[in-house]
Amino acid sequence: MMEEPLYPIAVLIDELKNDDIQLRLNSIRRLSTIARALGEERTRKELIPFLSENNDDDDEVLLAMAEELGLFIPYVGGVEHAHVLLPPLETLCTVEETCVRDKAVESLCRIGSQMKESDLVDHFIPLVKRLAAGEWFTARVSACGLFHIAYPSAPDALKSELRAIYRQLCQDDMPMVRRSAASNLGKFAATVEPSYLKTDVMTMFEDLTQDDQDSVRLLAVEGCAALGKLLEPQDCVAHVLPVIVNFSQVCKSLFVSAPYTVQDKSWRVRYMVANQLYELCEAVGPEPTRADLVPAYVRLLRDNEAEVRIAAAGKVTKFSRILSPELAIQHILPCVKDLSSDSSQHVRSALASVIMGMAPVLGKDATIEQLLPIFLSLLKDEFPDVRLNIISKLDQVNEVIGIDLLSQSLLPAIVELAEDRHWRVRLAIIEYIPLLASQLGVGFFDDKLGALCMQWLQDKVHSIRDAAANNVKRLAEEFGPEWAMQHIVPQVLEMMNNPHYLYRMTILNAVSLLAPVLGSEITCSKLLPVVITASKDRVPNIRFNVAKVLQSIAPIVDQTVTEKTIRPCLAELSEDPDVDVRFFAIQALQSIDNAMVS
Amino acid sequence: MNGGGGGGEVSGVGAPSATPLDWKFSQVFGERAAGEEVQEVDIISAIEFDKSGDHLATGDRGGRVVLFERTDTKDHGTSRRDLERTDHPVSRHPEFCYKTEFQSHEPEVTLVNSYGDYMVVLLLVYEADAFSQTYICCIDDESGSLFSVQFDYLKSLEIEEKINKIRWCQTANGALFLLSTNDKTIKFWKVQKKKVKKIGEMNMDTTKVAGNGSIASSSCSKPHLANGGFTDKLSSSLNDDLLFPPGGIPSLHLPVVTSNEISHLARCRRVYAHAHDYHINSISNNSDGETFISADDLRINLWNLEISSQSFNIVDVKPQNMEDLTEVITSAEFHPSHCNTLAYSSSKGSIRLIDLRQSALCDSHAKMFEEQEAPASRSFFTEIIASISDIKFARDGRYILSRDYMTLKVDCLIRLVMGRQYGFKPCCNLSGPRAFKTQGETLRLDVYNLPDFTCQLRLVGKTIDYCSHDLGFAKCALLFQLCDLYENDSIFDKFECCLSGDGQRVATGSYSNLFRVFGCAPGSSEATTLEASKNPMRRQVPTPSRPSRSLSSMTRVIRRGSESPGVDSNGNSFDFTTKLLHLAWHPSENSIACAAANSLYMYYA
């Protein structure tokens, strides 16, 4: 039997092989403890080989193991022994579960980036080569993610071998491997010397962009911006740009298809191009942007697939920012106009969420003349999401044209959303009320929106009432306690007389939220009496919520008030016939006592 | 024809495919003894070979999946297939042995998606009142209010455990992966060899206490975890670096694991559920190795194998008003190599080809092939028997095989060179049906070598249309027979079909546990009838020499009642209670696995 202090650690070690997965998982999570108990040498000689054999465990355990091993260098005796960690991670790189492999690759990269150059050549690079030649695709998939660590420290001969291997992986039989090669190409390319970048890496990129599998081309396109930034602008224009521009075109008819151009029929590839295009602008510089990318982008904005238009519309602002105002007004704005009346509500919604950002780009005149009509039409959109997206970005447009111009159309839109029959829409608009209040100012708010805020406190749906209570608090923060005393507190407290206990509960919630904002004085004079009265409520749910509220109010108010008013009330509740009321009352009393002691 | 490196030994380039194959019995699993009752749950409902042909899976009505492994090639799984081929003489035919089985699906009762007008969020089901009525909790999604309604059994759905389809996925690390589905839920299974672990040499040698080493660990650790003292003590010791001497504690040692036995373990990795309102009729993997589709009567959904929480609807044929429904999806399959092409068949006998690249929602198909029946030959049954029960792509993706109640068709995917769409073109429309049926001509159009050729489907075409006779029906008595078949619901039987790996032959099942193999190479008149029994050639009938005639002309010529129903033109009677619905062709060799009730028969040639 173990001596007493070793007992827990011994159990931990034994449980590495327990039948219960939770216990195994627990042990793996404490692997560093086990390692320290065994010492560095035995960790290297026993624990690590032991873990290497432990590769048929459940995925959860393997995932945890992959993660722990990434942080294990200190426990095996520092960087000079880091290579002993490679074998177990190599096995984990070959398992079928993607998340385990990804984690193992991540850990290998972490270890590899700390290893000495000679160790990398002796241990890490052979590992990458083994994985890349693995019999199962899983190993080859993992290999792709390790090249950017292995490559920089390799001697020249080995470097060209590694490039050749990567090229091979880009042409693997398995689409999974090609996908991995495509998504890791950018990282690898960043480590490759510029001279090989133009030759070797670009050939790989071109191979991948012509792959049979849509999913491979998709990932190749996704990485094109990263690749473009590595290249000199003129190379980027020569190699990356044509590929992307051609991807952006829809193959309308085979009659017009010029030979030897790649035109992608897949909307998913165009979707990806639409998402990536603005990043490429930075890489190629202004002139090619104007000549090639703007027309390409306009094509995407007018694509016949709604999904592509959604992606393109979502980038309108980012793209416009790169362009000069004239170009944006000339080319992009007409498309934006069309999109604002697009047949797909999702396109309009995507446009509405970013269109506000165009205002600073276009300047005041163009905004009022061209953009404002679009705002207004979107604000009247039949689809609530579109209206919500416009309202959520109101501050941006306010900066440019001021709220006066908008407020006329704004109010009907807000009121309509506030009374929308879908509660999720109502919930969304409540979130924006404090923002609106700050933009519109006290006067406007008092007139138009105050009543709505009170109305939400009595909504049928709990989530709305909850949000409304929070909203009241945020308004009080925005406009200050004095304003709140006048415009919120009386109305809110009035609702405490509602016959339905659920509404009374909402008010209690609002009170507990308001108290810290309004300060001790108002709390004592206005809020506390109402809460104390509620402690006599016939519904137990109200009473135990009173106990909770009192607990939260106690730290705010004066100690004398606590002693005089709160404590007696809680004492009474602690003898309530209902068990829950007693529980919360006692809890509140204890918390008050603790606060006093400290 | 390149069958993925496996086509070599089938009927190679030299061997004339016109020579009919000589089928021999190979194996039977689950053979019934004379007079033995077939248990409903044991009836096989799905058969599928994996891509290499080294494994075979069957699913049954009891929700079980049984795996078989090829035994005539040694060292399967560890060495590459081409190595195996050189090691073993070609004369061997595939032999399989039972590998393992697992319970894939269980029967369940579920609520249909919408409960009246409300969305059911099944928070609790409780039996409340004195009449022991069951209530369920619902949320009105519009107002968000919560209420309970009385449970209505009619609005609930009993989901059978029956396995509708099995599809193999990419093998990795020697573990097998497959998808199995019942009417509603698809599951992703991993079957791997697992060492049976035996643990010795624990730190906590509690053999004396517990008397059994294997449970020692749990028995001694549990009390410590239960009262929380153990973990607390550990975490406090964790922070204390001085606890462990620099050299470690020598008395501690790692558990030693010994294992000698190996067992197969099936684990359900993912469950793809709640995406189908109607019954799933097919699942199919994409060639990209990361996605698959599932099709029910009205919709086709696209899934990523790694993500079970969401799927994308790519085809939706549900009309606004269900009364307008005239056509349902009966089967769907991905193209074997073009990741963006899939085909689905309908109850009206049409096959639609769709291109996933064109649009996110592919309701507007790229091309449809529908055979127009002459109005004169229409009858009450025309539409019912036109319903396609199964479609299969040939391995090279150039042909598609479809089976409706009476016929088996091979169609070619034709790229219409001058148009922007491609799709099926029934050859009969190009050169007249009779010419085709009798002469079996090959239609060949020129292939233009376009730069985007790789993304396109090749053309080359050929259609073989087998007359209904070949499927085992007496055409003369067809109408009477159809009445009978309708009465006993047999007319709704869904027969599957399959192609050989080299695409030279096709097979499909019939009644009386018969199945038929046809040659579809140019000029081939091969048509073999086999019975799923140990003596497959028992029912062999000579291939009819007369040219087939169309259905309408036959019914006109033959007088009513001239032959009794259930007897084909060769005088063989048919047993409609024994039907061979499911069969599969080995991907690289001439070997067929077929299911007769609960028995799995295998044949080779």
Side-chain angles (χ1 to χ4, degrees):
Chain A
M1 273 296 186
M2 288 290 149
E3 319 131 52
E4 191 54 25
L6 287 182
Y7 191 72
I9 195 90
V11 170
L12 207 54
I13 292 176
D14 288 352
E15 279 173 0
L16 283 170
K17 285 288 172 196
N18 198 289
D19 285 341
D20 183 348
I21 176 168
Q22 274 313 318
L23 296 179
R24 288 204 305 278
L25 208 51
N26 179 54
S27 282
I28 288 283
R29 288 265 169 237
R30 304 292 193 119
L31 217 49
S32 55
T33 311
I34 295 174
R36 279 192 294 150
L38 290 171
E40 289 170 357
E41 198 184 336
R42 291 187 65 201
T43 298
R44 289 197 297 273
K45 288 198 176 138
E46 292 174 37
L47 183 62
I48 300 296
F50 171 82
L51 293 175
S52 303
E53 282 167 21
N54 193 29
N55 60 356
D56 66 339
D57 211 327
D58 288 314
D59 295 324
E60 293 88 331
V61 178
L62 295 182
L63 181 68
M65 193 160 104
E67 193 171 359
E68 294 298 324
L69 285 175
L71 307 164
F72 231 59
I73 291 182
Y75 309 112
V76 292
V79 176
E80 55 267 37
H81 295 289
H83 62 86
V84 301
L85 294 172
L86 302 184
L89 285 169
E90 184 177 347
T91 5
L92 291 176
C93 277
T94 64
V95 301
E96 322 75 57
E97 184 58 43
T98 315
C99 62
V100 176
R101 284 202 311 268
D102 289 350
K103 189 56 90 182
V105 168
E106 192 187 316
S107 290
L108 273 177
C109 289
R110 190 194 295 253
I111 291 169
S113 59
Q114 296 172 59
M115 278 166 78
K116 283 191 301 193
E117 200 154 289
S118 59
D119 282 349
L120 278 170
V121 176
D122 291 344
H123 301 283
F124 198 87
I125 295 175
L127 172 143
V128 174
K129 283 162 69 177
R130 273 198 303 278
L131 286 175
E135 186 188 4
W136 300 105
F137 73 89
T138 48
R140 304 200 296 275
V141 165
S142 298
C144 296
L146 297 169
F147 276 74
H148 66 285
I149 301 292
Y151 189 80
S153 59
D156 281 347
L158 211 48
K159 273 187 176 168
S160 73
E161 195 186 341
L162 284 176
R163 287 196 303 275
I165 294 174
Y166 203 90
R167 176 95 198 260
Q168 207 60 56
L169 291 169
C170 290
Q171 297 167 336
D172 198 278
D173 283 347
M174 285 290 182
M176 299 82 160
V177 180
R178 300 203 300 275
R179 274 197 293 275
S180 179
S183 48
N184 284 298
L185 186 63
K187 266 191 276 178
F188 177 49
T191 64
V192 173
E193 297 82 353
S195 54
Y196 295 118
L197 201 57
K198 259 198 283 179
T199 52
D200 292 18
V201 175
M202 284 320 293
T203 349
M204 295 178 206
F205 176 68
E206 271 155 33
D207 282 350
L208 292 169
T209 55
Q210 287 165 26
D211 200 281
D212 282 351
Q213 290 286 342
D214 293 355
S215 48
V216 177
R217 292 201 305 280
L218 206 65
L219 290 167
V221 170
E222 197 175 13
C224 75
L227 205 58
K229 283 174 190 162
L230 296 171
L231 292 165
E232 296 290 314
Q234 65 268 25
D235 292 329
C236 186
V237 172
H239 297 294
V240 182
L241 197 62
V243 175
I244 295 310
V245 169
N246 283 321
F247 272 144
S248 72
Q249 291 168 347
V250 192
C251 188
K252 282 266 158 48
S253 159
L254 287 170
F255 289 116
V256 296
S257 72
Y260 311 114
T261 53
V262 190
Q263 290 182 313
D264 214 289
K265 283 182 78 177
S266 173
W267 66 268
R268 280 171 66 203
V269 175
R270 297 200 305 276
Y271 174 91
M272 197 57 95
V273 172
N275 267 325
Q276 299 286 320
L277 206 57
Y278 75 96
E279 284 196 56
L280 207 58
C281 293
E282 294 163 20
V284 296
E287 181 46 35
T289 298
R290 195 191 60 74
D292 292 317
L293 290 183
V294 170
Y297 184 65
V298 168
R299 268 200 298 276
L300 293 170
L301 285 172
R302 299 188 192 278
D303 199 283
N304 52 9
E305 173 57 44
E307 298 286 337
V308 178
R309 294 200 304 277
I310 291 171
K315 301 289 180 203
V316 154
T317 299
K318 280 184 172 159
F319 202 85
S320 303
R321 267 190 212 137
I322 300 165
L323 302 177
S324 63
E326 299 78 55
L327 273 180
I329 292 169
Q330 197 190 337
H331 296 290
I332 309 295
L333 208 54
C335 299
V336 168
K337 240 176 240 167
D338 294 346
L339 288 178
S340 70
S341 54
D342 197 283
S343 57
S344 160
Q345 58 191 29
H346 303 289
V347 174
R348 299 198 304 274
S349 177
L351 182 69
S353 65
V354 296
I355 193 178
M356 289 299 188
M358 279 187 85
V361 179
L362 297 178
K364 187 160 182 170
D365 288 345
T367 300
I368 291 176
E369 203 178 304
Q370 315 254 14
L371 217 47
L372 192 62
I374 301 175
F375 289 163
L376 296 181
S377 82
L378 288 173
L379 207 45
K380 294 191 191 91
D381 201 284
E382 56 176 346
F383 187 56
D385 266 13
V386 179
R387 282 174 274 156
L388 270 175
N389 284 345
I390 285 283
I391 288 170
S392 67
K393 298 285 164 57
L394 209 60
D395 46 338
Q396 289 173 1
V397 78
N398 196 14
E399 285 164 18
V400 181
I401 56 169
I403 206 77
D404 298 343
L405 270 173
L406 267 182
S407 54
Q408 270 182 318
S409 359
L410 204 53
L411 192 70
I414 296 171
V415 172
E416 215 174 295
L417 287 170
E419 287 164 355
D420 198 283
R421 58 197 194 97
H422 290 282
W423 64 271
R424 287 189 179 85
V425 176
R426 298 202 297 275
L427 187 64
I429 189 73
I430 294 174
E431 308 274 314
Y432 294 121
I433 286 294
L435 172 77
L436 283 170
S438 70
Q439 296 287 321
L440 298 169
V442 175
F444 185 86
F445 185 86
D446 287 349
D447 289 348
K448 321 280 185 189
L449 298 182
L452 280 177
C453 293
M454 294 305 134
Q455 186 185 318
W456 283 322
L457 282 171
Q458 295 184 332
D459 200 279
K460 280 189 297 183
V461 178
H462 172 259
S463 303
I464 299 292
R465 296 197 301 271
D466 222 31
N470 206 33
N471 176 44
V472 165
K473 178 199 105 178
R474 285 166 70 189
L475 286 174
E477 281 169 348
E478 182 72 38
F479 295 139
E482 272 166 51
W483 176 86
M485 260 309 286
Q486 257 187 331
H487 294 93
I488 295 184
V489 175
Q491 286 94 321
V492 169
L493 296 184
E494 171 69 28
M495 287 182 221
M496 204 57 205
N497 301 324
N498 195 301
H500 200 302
Y501 83 97
L502 285 174
Y503 296 114
R504 296 200 297 276
M505 213 127 94
T506 308
I507 302 307
L508 272 181
N509 183 21
V511 165
S512 74
L513 290 168
L514 277 172
V517 181
L518 298 183
S520 152
E521 198 180 313
I522 299 177
T523 304
C524 293
S525 62
K526 295 282 177 188
L527 304 183
L528 196 55
V530 178
V531 178
I532 299 296
T533 318
S535 71
K536 305 274 191 297
D537 203 289
R538 66 196 157 77
V539 180
N541 298 42
I542 296 289
R543 294 200 300 274
F544 75 66
N545 271 294
V546 165
K548 285 188 195 170
V549 172
L550 288 176
Q551 182 179 346
S552 73
I553 285 182
I556 301 164
V557 299
D558 218 43
Q559 196 158 346
T560 50
V561 181
T562 309
E563 288 308 315
K564 242 200 239 157
T565 326
I566 295 180
R567 192 182 284 278
C569 179
L570 284 173
E572 198 178 315
L573 288 175
S574 68
E575 280 155 27
D576 197 273
D578 189 277
V579 59
D580 292 319
V581 178
R582 287 199 304 275
F583 173 82
F584 283 108
I586 289 164
Q587 199 178 52
L589 280 172
Q590 276 168 353
S591 121
I592 290 170
D593 289 340
N594 288 344
M596 276 169 68
V597 172
S598 61
Chain B
M1 211 169 289
N2 183 9
E9 58 199 79
V10 184
S11 55
V13 191
S17 50
T19 317
L21 294 172
D22 179 23
W23 290 94
K24 297 182 195 71
F25 169 78
S26 164
Q27 281 174 291
V28 59
F29 295 96
E31 193 187 20
R32 246 181 310 158
E36 188 190 327
E37 280 281 301
V38 180
Q39 295 293 312
E40 172 82 9
V41 289
D42 292 333
I43 294 176
I44 295 172
S45 56
I47 300 184
E48 187 80 6
F49 280 105
D50 77 344
K51 224 163 72 182
S52 65
D54 290 341
H55 296 93
L56 174 70
T58 64
D60 65 26
R61 294 196 183 194
R64 283 162 303 190
V65 171
V66 185
L67 302 185
F68 300 91
E69 187 170 42
R70 195 166 168 179
T71 51
D72 58 320
T73 52
K74 224 173 27 193
D75 300 332
H76 40 260
T78 52
S79 70
R80 289 265 159 154
R81 283 181 42 75
D82 31 2
L83 283 176
E84 293 164 13
R85 192 157 298 129
T86 56
D87 287 348
H88 297 275
V90 199
S91 61
R92 305 237 5 128
H93 61 85
E95 264 176 30
F96 286 80
C97 72
Y98 168 89
K99 186 182 170 91
T100 183
E101 71 175 78
F102 56 91
Q103 188 73 37
S104 172
H105 287 75
E106 303 273 359
E108 52 184 322
V109 174
T110 184
L111 295 162
V112 290
N113 250 359
S114 77
Y115 202 83
D117 295 331
Y118 308 111
M119 191 174 104
V120 177
V121 181
L122 190 63
L123 298 176
L124 36 123
V125 176
Y126 51 99
E127 282 191 16
D129 61 19
F131 309 101
S132 50
Q133 303 280 20
T134 306
Y135 288 83
I136 54 170
C137 235
C138 290
I139 282 184
D140 178 2
D141 194 48
E142 223 159 71
S143 70
S145 47
L146 197 67
F147 56 93
S148 64
V149 294
Q150 194 180 322
F151 178 71
D152 181 349
Y153 197 78
L154 290 176
K155 284 173 179 163
S156 70
L157 204 64
E158 215 165 325
I159 302 173
E160 283 184 85
E161 68 273 37
K162 177 186 153 217
I163 306 290
N164 288 347
K165 280 276 156 39
I166 295 174
R167 285 290 178 268
W168 289 88
C169 300
Q170 191 59 52
T171 313
N173 293 344
L176 302 171
F177 293 87
L178 52 86
L179 288 166
S180 62
T181 186
N182 66 354
D183 284 341
K184 293 282 174 184
T185 310
I186 306 151
K187 291 184 180 178
F188 185 48
W189 290 92
K190 171 185 175 183
V191 183
Q192 67 179 147
K193 287 192 189 116
K194 192 123 191 175
K195 289 178 204 151
V196 180
K197 280 186 287 189
K198 239 184 148 175
I199 297 149
E201 295 195 39
M202 307 291 283
N203 285 304
M204 312 307 297
D205 187 15
T206 45
T207 36
K208 291 164 207 154
V209 187
N212 186 342
S214 63
I215 56 157
S217 141
S218 52
S219 63
C220 79
S221 64
K222 266 183 185 146
H224 291 274
L225 277 177
N227 59 25
F230 159 67
T231 27
D232 286 351
K233 215 190 286 179
L234 190 67
S235 50
S236 64
S237 64
L238 241 180
N239 302 327
D240 186 7
D241 274 24
L242 296 173
L243 183 79
F244 305 122
I249 303 154
S251 58
L252 288 171
H253 57 86
L254 294 163
V256 176
V257 180
T258 50
S259 54
N260 29 26
E261 262 178 273
I262 287 177
S263 73
H264 292 282
L265 179 79
R267 272 192 80 188
C268 181
R269 305 300 303 273
R270 279 177 192 88
V271 178
Y272 314 88
H274 311 302
H276 286 280
D277 287 344
Y278 304 90
H279 289 183
I280 298 173
N281 53 45
S282 18
I283 45 177
S284 174
N285 307 82
N286 193 328
S287 56
D288 68 6
E290 70 170 351
T291 54
F292 70 95
I293 47 163
S294 57
D296 68 20
D297 294 343
L298 297 178
R299 294 191 182 99
I300 301 178
N301 293 331
L302 179 71
W303 302 83
N304 187 314
L305 273 170
E306 309 220 325
I307 302 165
S308 55
S309 57
Q310 64 173 16
S311 70
F312 297 93
N313 179 236
I314 49 174
V315 174
D316 188 348
V317 299
K318 190 177 179 182
Q320 288 269 308
N321 185 353
M322 281 299 269
E323 282 164 17
D324 301 334
L325 185 72
T326 56
E327 191 172 16
V328 296
I329 299 167
T330 53
S331 171
E333 197 175 45
F334 261 121
H335 189 280
S337 54
H338 295 294
C339 60
N340 37 48
T341 306
L342 72 91
Y344 69 90
S345 62
S346 83
S347 57
K348 271 189 165 173
S350 59
I351 300 173
R352 290 173 172 86
L353 195 62
I354 59 175
D355 185 345
L356 293 176
R357 294 173 300 182
Q358 244 162 20
S359 171
L361 194 62
C362 301
D363 292 351
S364 56
H365 43 87
K367 195 69 188 170
M368 179 167 107
F369 161 44
E370 199 165 21
E371 200 162 7
Q372 292 301 323
E373 187 109 18
S377 65
R378 291 191 69 83
S379 72
F380 173 73
F381 303 110
T382 311
E383 246 183 51
I384 301 175
I385 62 172
S387 177
I388 292 177
S389 51
D390 193 24
I391 54 171
K392 290 270 161 60
F393 274 100
R395 283 188 93 196
D396 64 357
R398 296 199 293 174
Y399 302 95
I400 192 163
L401 179 69
S402 63
R403 166 76 205 253
D404 63 30
Y405 194 60
M406 305 290 282
T407 57
L408 183 68
K409 290 197 188 85
V410 182
D411 295 307
C412 55
L413 305 170
I414 291 183
R415 162 101 188 280
L416 298 175
V417 178
M418 296 313 284
R420 66 194 141 100
Q421 290 176 326
Y422 57 85
F424 298 115
K425 192 78 182 167
C427 295
C428 45
N429 281 6
L430 292 176
S431 62
R434 180 149 305 171
F436 250 96
K437 279 178 188 165
T438 51
Q439 293 162 18
E441 266 177 8
T442 305
L443 176 80
R444 213 168 264 282
L445 299 178
D446 283 331
V447 182
Y448 291 102
N449 207 357
L450 287 176
D452 55 344
F453 179 64
T454 49
C455 311
Q456 302 294 343
L457 295 166
R458 289 190 196 216
L459 75 86
V460 174
K462 156 152 174 67
T463 290
I464 304 131
D465 189 2
Y466 299 99
C467 64
S468 52
H469 169 89
D470 286 339
L471 290 174
F473 291 101
K475 266 191 287 188
C476 40
L478 187 72
L479 266 177
F480 305 109
Q481 206 147 42
L482 287 177
C483 284
D484 283 350
L485 292 167
Y486 182 75
E487 292 280 304
N488 64 18
D489 276 353
S490 293
I491 203 165
F492 300 108
D493 286 335
K494 305 248 173 269
F495 290 98
E496 287 181 359
C497 56
C498 60
L499 287 116
S500 65
D502 59 2
Q504 301 285 306
R505 290 182 180 79
V506 293
T508 191
S510 182
Y511 292 105
S512 302
N513 279 346
L514 294 179
F515 68 99
R516 293 175 182 239
V517 181
F518 303 101
C520 58
S524 166
S525 59
E526 181 180 348
T528 316
T529 306
L530 298 124
E531 187 187 28
S533 70
K534 283 185 171 171
N535 181 11
M537 303 308 271
R538 194 159 62 97
R539 302 287 286 263
Q540 176 67 1
V541 288
T543 315
S545 53
R546 57 188 165 140
S548 55
R549 271 170 283 177
S550 74
L551 198 140
S552 56
S553 63
M554 288 305 288
T555 41
R556 249 184 285 120
V557 174
I558 306 297
R559 259 176 302 182
R560 305 171 130 250
S562 62
E563 284 181 57
S564 57
V567 177
D568 78 358
S569 52
N570 297 296
N572 294 322
S573 64
F574 283 100
D575 176 2
F576 294 112
T577 58
T578 56
K579 49 201 167 196
L580 197 149
L581 298 174
H582 310 282
L583 78 176
W585 200 305
H586 191 279
S588 57
E589 301 192 26
N590 281 330
S591 170
I592 291 180
C594 56
N598 63 335
S599 314
L600 176 70
Y601 285 93
M602 310 202 47
Y603 301 93
Y604 72 98

